[in-house]
Amino acid sequence: MKPDIKICGLKTAETIDRALARGATHIGFIFFEKSPRYVEPDIAGKLAEPARGKAKIVAVTVNPSNDDLDEIVALLKPDILQLHGDESPERVLTIKAVYGLPVMKAFSVRTADDLKRVEAYIGIADRFLFDAKPPKGSDLPGGNGVSFDWSLLTWLDGNVDYMLSGGLNKSNIAEALGITKAPGIDVSSGVESTPGVKSLAMIDEFFDAVERACELETASGS
């Protein structure tokens, strides 16, 4: 079964159009100023218009204040809020109650113990995103182009809905899907020519690789 596919950190109309044309189910906008993928909420709102009704629009934030979220929700009108910081279960519940939007809670993973933290959010977050822990010296919680041991995810309860992120690209997506059977995948740096600059060709190559991987899975009966 083909996973949901989220292209994250989009900043141009051309790359959004290509992502939609290739079947992206989610498009993500980054509202973290240290990121090379950062975009102002008003600009993101205009860029997102062609996606409405075609793909879920995701606002990616890191420990946002209510003022931050007020602005993002008003200008972008997202379908999903992605929380990529150290938000507590209580904070997630508050955000859901205030904004009436589903929340995807991101976790950085290196060891099995990192996944144990998910338990407190089950039934609270609507979906999870598992990314690799940032390398030493990085200011970015995600988008670092590094992956983690995907086999850790095989220990998850099968009812946990998540997106796999972290270092995915055309060369490793088949292996990642083969190991995890992830219901969703998220790619950002894996379709960039330089940090923050998405490549139309690389977006095509990634989708081609996902399609080939799904065909192989179907043929093998996995």
Side-chain angles (χ1 to χ4, degrees):
M1 191 169 68
K2 190 173 182 179
D4 288 343
I5 302 175
K6 174 167 165 264
I7 308 295
C8 204
L10 291 160
K11 297 197 299 182
T12 68
E14 293 78 13
T15 51
I16 290 169
D17 288 345
R18 184 61 59 88
L20 294 173
R22 291 307 306 262
T25 58
H26 298 65
I27 61 168
F29 296 96
I30 307 291
F31 301 107
F32 181 63
E33 291 189 10
K34 291 182 179 180
S35 172
R37 302 163 189 96
Y38 173 75
V39 63
E40 294 282 352
D42 58 334
I43 294 172
K46 294 169 186 171
L47 288 171
E49 281 307 311
R52 298 195 189 280
K54 298 177 183 176
K56 298 291 186 183
I57 298 164
V58 184
V60 181
T61 63
V62 181
N63 298 318
S65 67
N66 284 3
D67 286 344
D68 294 333
L69 290 171
D70 286 347
E71 180 182 28
I72 291 165
V73 170
L75 295 174
L76 178 62
K77 300 179 177 63
D79 298 300
I80 300 169
L81 295 172
Q82 181 177 320
L83 304 179
H84 218 301
D86 53 13
E87 300 87 2
S88 67
E90 293 74 22
R91 177 63 174 153
V92 174
L93 279 173
T94 297
I95 288 172
K96 288 179 64 172
V98 170
Y99 298 100
L101 290 168
V103 164
M104 180 153 50
K105 181 70 184 82
F107 287 89
S108 298
V109 178
R110 185 175 292 140
T111 68
D113 284 343
D114 294 320
L115 286 174
K116 291 179 182 176
R117 296 182 297 128
V118 172
E119 293 177 3
Y121 295 79
I122 291 176
I124 294 175
D126 298 277
R127 198 171 200 178
F128 297 100
L129 182 142
F130 298 123
D131 200 350
K133 286 208 170 181
K136 190 173 182 179
S138 173
D139 289 330
L140 306 179
N144 290 291
V146 295
S147 57
F148 62 95
D149 181 359
W150 299 315
S151 67
L152 293 172
L153 297 180
T154 61
W155 296 97
L156 278 178
D157 184 308
N159 294 320
V160 173
D161 188 20
Y162 71 92
M163 282 193 155
L164 176 63
S165 185
L168 298 177
N169 56 53
K170 66 176 182 179
S171 299
N172 64 16
I173 189 59
E175 181 185 5
L177 289 173
I179 291 171
T180 66
K181 307 295 189 288
I185 52 179
D186 171 286
V187 65
S188 183
S189 61
V191 291
E192 290 180 347
S193 54
T194 57
V197 180
K198 297 289 188 286
S199 160
L200 297 180
M202 293 174 74
I203 289 173
D204 280 336
E205 290 166 353
F206 185 78
F207 275 93
D208 289 344
V210 172
E211 289 171 7
R212 286 194 299 271
C214 293
E215 288 169 1
L216 286 172
E217 288 284 308
T218 301
S220 66
S222 299

